[in-house]
Amino acid sequence: MMDKGYNVLSHKDEALVVGKDGITKLMANGVCEFYFVCEYESNEQNFTFASRSSGALDVYHRRLGHINLKDLLEANQKRNICGMDIKLPTKEIHYEVCLEGEMTWTPFPKRFERTSELLELIHIDVHGLMRVELNGMAKYFVEFIDGHCRWCEVRFIKHTT
């Protein structure tokens, strides 16, 4: 922006972009070292919000918080971000943080194989803190389930430690 004659003035959590004529073209609020545009003059033809110096897809992908590529390409096609002109990559983009965000836990199987002997496997669940005290000031209860015969025992406890 400054190479086109604009001045950028920042103070604490605010930033202003002022044109050659001294008129404020853009105002932005800062949050955690990022600035979000709150007002701008829409009739300014030469003003852009995105830098045209690097139009690589991976640059915009990182700048916009690793937004998914489908939405990024749609924003470029619809011109939702002024000045963004994306050049399609020559190779596929993979970032570890993107892959981690797409990972999901595999669900527990709906049916478990029963064990062959009593007490071979015991499932234990602790429940609580209850709003209402149970049986003699107990605020928690423990559930024991045998993996073979599905026998269930419940014990009330006052503390989890």
Side-chain angles (χ1 to χ4, degrees), residues 8 17 41 47 57 60 63 67 74 82 91 111-112 145 161:
V8 179
V17 176
E41 187 178 306
F47 188 74
L57 182 66
Y60 286 108
R63 285 181 182 169
I67 186 173
E74 184 179 322
C82 298
K91 61 183 177 82
R111 294 181 153 249
F112 286 99
I145 303 172
T161 55

Short mmCIF file of all heavy atoms in Angstrom, two decimals, residues 8 17 41 47 57 60 63 67 74 82 91 111-112 145 161:
data_model
loop_
_atom_site.label_atom_id
_atom_site.label_comp_id
_atom_site.label_asym_id
_atom_site.label_seq_id
_atom_site.Cartn_x
_atom_site.Cartn_y
_atom_site.Cartn_z
N VAL A 8 0.26 4.50 6.27
CA VAL A 8 -0.37 3.63 7.26
C VAL A 8 0.01 4.15 8.64
O VAL A 8 1.19 4.24 8.98
CB VAL A 8 0.10 2.16 7.10
CG1 VAL A 8 -0.54 1.29 8.16
CG2 VAL A 8 -0.23 1.65 5.71
N VAL A 17 -5.41 3.93 7.10
CA VAL A 17 -4.72 4.07 5.82
C VAL A 17 -5.20 5.39 5.23
O VAL A 17 -6.39 5.58 5.01
CB VAL A 17 -5.03 2.89 4.88
CG1 VAL A 17 -4.37 3.12 3.53
CG2 VAL A 17 -4.55 1.59 5.50
N GLU A 41 -13.40 3.33 2.29
CA GLU A 41 -14.01 4.14 1.25
C GLU A 41 -14.08 3.28 0.00
O GLU A 41 -13.06 2.92 -0.58
CB GLU A 41 -13.16 5.39 1.01
CG GLU A 41 -13.79 6.37 0.06
CD GLU A 41 -12.93 7.62 -0.10
OE1 GLU A 41 -12.59 8.24 0.91
OE2 GLU A 41 -12.63 7.94 -1.25
N PHE A 47 -7.15 1.29 -4.56
CA PHE A 47 -6.90 0.73 -3.24
C PHE A 47 -7.22 -0.74 -3.21
O PHE A 47 -8.23 -1.18 -3.75
CB PHE A 47 -7.76 1.47 -2.20
CG PHE A 47 -7.43 1.08 -0.80
CD1 PHE A 47 -6.27 1.52 -0.22
CD2 PHE A 47 -8.26 0.23 -0.10
CE1 PHE A 47 -5.95 1.14 1.06
CE2 PHE A 47 -7.95 -0.15 1.17
CZ PHE A 47 -6.79 0.32 1.76
N LEU A 57 -1.34 -19.39 -4.28
CA LEU A 57 -2.46 -19.93 -3.51
C LEU A 57 -2.05 -20.26 -2.07
O LEU A 57 -2.78 -19.97 -1.14
CB LEU A 57 -2.99 -21.18 -4.21
CG LEU A 57 -4.18 -21.86 -3.57
CD1 LEU A 57 -5.40 -20.96 -3.62
CD2 LEU A 57 -4.48 -23.17 -4.27
N TYR A 60 -2.04 -17.13 0.32
CA TYR A 60 -3.36 -16.73 0.81
C TYR A 60 -3.94 -17.77 1.75
O TYR A 60 -4.62 -17.44 2.71
CB TYR A 60 -4.32 -16.47 -0.36
CG TYR A 60 -4.01 -15.18 -1.07
CD1 TYR A 60 -3.46 -15.18 -2.33
CD2 TYR A 60 -4.27 -13.97 -0.46
CE1 TYR A 60 -3.17 -13.99 -2.98
CE2 TYR A 60 -3.98 -12.77 -1.09
CZ TYR A 60 -3.43 -12.79 -2.36
OH TYR A 60 -3.16 -11.61 -2.98
N ARG A 63 -2.25 -16.99 5.02
CA ARG A 63 -2.65 -15.68 5.54
C ARG A 63 -4.08 -15.68 6.09
O ARG A 63 -4.39 -14.95 7.02
CB ARG A 63 -2.56 -14.62 4.44
CG ARG A 63 -1.16 -14.20 4.13
CD ARG A 63 -1.17 -13.14 3.05
NE ARG A 63 0.18 -12.75 2.71
CZ ARG A 63 0.49 -12.00 1.66
NH1 ARG A 63 -0.47 -11.55 0.86
NH2 ARG A 63 1.73 -11.70 1.42
N ILE A 67 -7.54 -21.56 5.60
CA ILE A 67 -8.90 -21.75 5.10
C ILE A 67 -8.87 -22.88 4.07
O ILE A 67 -7.87 -23.06 3.37
CB ILE A 67 -9.44 -20.44 4.48
CG1 ILE A 67 -10.90 -20.56 4.08
CG2 ILE A 67 -8.61 -20.01 3.31
CD1 ILE A 67 -11.52 -19.25 3.63
N GLU A 74 -13.31 -20.10 -4.24
CA GLU A 74 -14.62 -19.48 -4.45
C GLU A 74 -14.58 -17.98 -4.15
O GLU A 74 -15.15 -17.17 -4.88
CB GLU A 74 -15.66 -20.17 -3.57
CG GLU A 74 -17.07 -19.66 -3.77
CD GLU A 74 -18.08 -20.38 -2.89
OE1 GLU A 74 -17.92 -21.61 -2.70
OE2 GLU A 74 -19.00 -19.70 -2.40
N CYS A 82 -11.04 -7.91 -2.22
CA CYS A 82 -10.52 -6.99 -3.22
C CYS A 82 -9.02 -7.14 -3.34
O CYS A 82 -8.30 -7.17 -2.35
CB CYS A 82 -10.86 -5.55 -2.84
SG CYS A 82 -12.62 -5.22 -2.76
N LYS A 91 2.00 -27.63 -7.74
CA LYS A 91 2.00 -28.89 -6.98
C LYS A 91 0.94 -28.78 -5.88
O LYS A 91 0.49 -27.70 -5.54
CB LYS A 91 3.37 -29.17 -6.36
CG LYS A 91 3.85 -28.10 -5.39
CD LYS A 91 5.26 -28.43 -4.89
CE LYS A 91 5.79 -27.35 -3.99
NZ LYS A 91 5.37 -27.41 -2.64
N ARG A 111 -20.62 -53.07 18.94
CA ARG A 111 -20.66 -54.33 19.70
C ARG A 111 -19.24 -54.75 20.05
O ARG A 111 -18.33 -54.68 19.23
CB ARG A 111 -21.31 -55.44 18.88
CG ARG A 111 -22.76 -55.19 18.60
CD ARG A 111 -23.34 -56.35 17.80
NE ARG A 111 -24.75 -56.42 18.09
CZ ARG A 111 -25.32 -57.39 18.77
NH1 ARG A 111 -24.61 -58.39 19.23
NH2 ARG A 111 -26.60 -57.39 18.99
N PHE A 112 -19.08 -55.17 21.28
CA PHE A 112 -17.80 -55.69 21.73
C PHE A 112 -17.87 -57.21 21.79
O PHE A 112 -18.91 -57.79 22.11
CB PHE A 112 -17.47 -55.17 23.15
CG PHE A 112 -17.06 -53.74 23.17
CD1 PHE A 112 -17.97 -52.74 23.51
CD2 PHE A 112 -15.76 -53.37 22.85
CE1 PHE A 112 -17.60 -51.42 23.54
CE2 PHE A 112 -15.38 -52.04 22.88
CZ PHE A 112 -16.30 -51.06 23.22
N ILE A 145 -18.42 -53.11 35.29
CA ILE A 145 -19.15 -54.03 34.42
C ILE A 145 -18.19 -55.12 33.95
O ILE A 145 -17.14 -54.82 33.38
CB ILE A 145 -19.75 -53.31 33.19
CG1 ILE A 145 -20.66 -52.17 33.64
CG2 ILE A 145 -20.50 -54.29 32.30
CD1 ILE A 145 -21.14 -51.29 32.51
N THR A 161 -10.45 -39.16 44.69
CA THR A 161 -9.03 -39.46 44.99
C THR A 161 -8.89 -40.47 46.09
O THR A 161 -9.76 -40.70 46.86
CB THR A 161 -8.27 -38.17 45.39
OG1 THR A 161 -8.95 -37.57 46.48
CG2 THR A 161 -8.18 -37.25 44.22
#
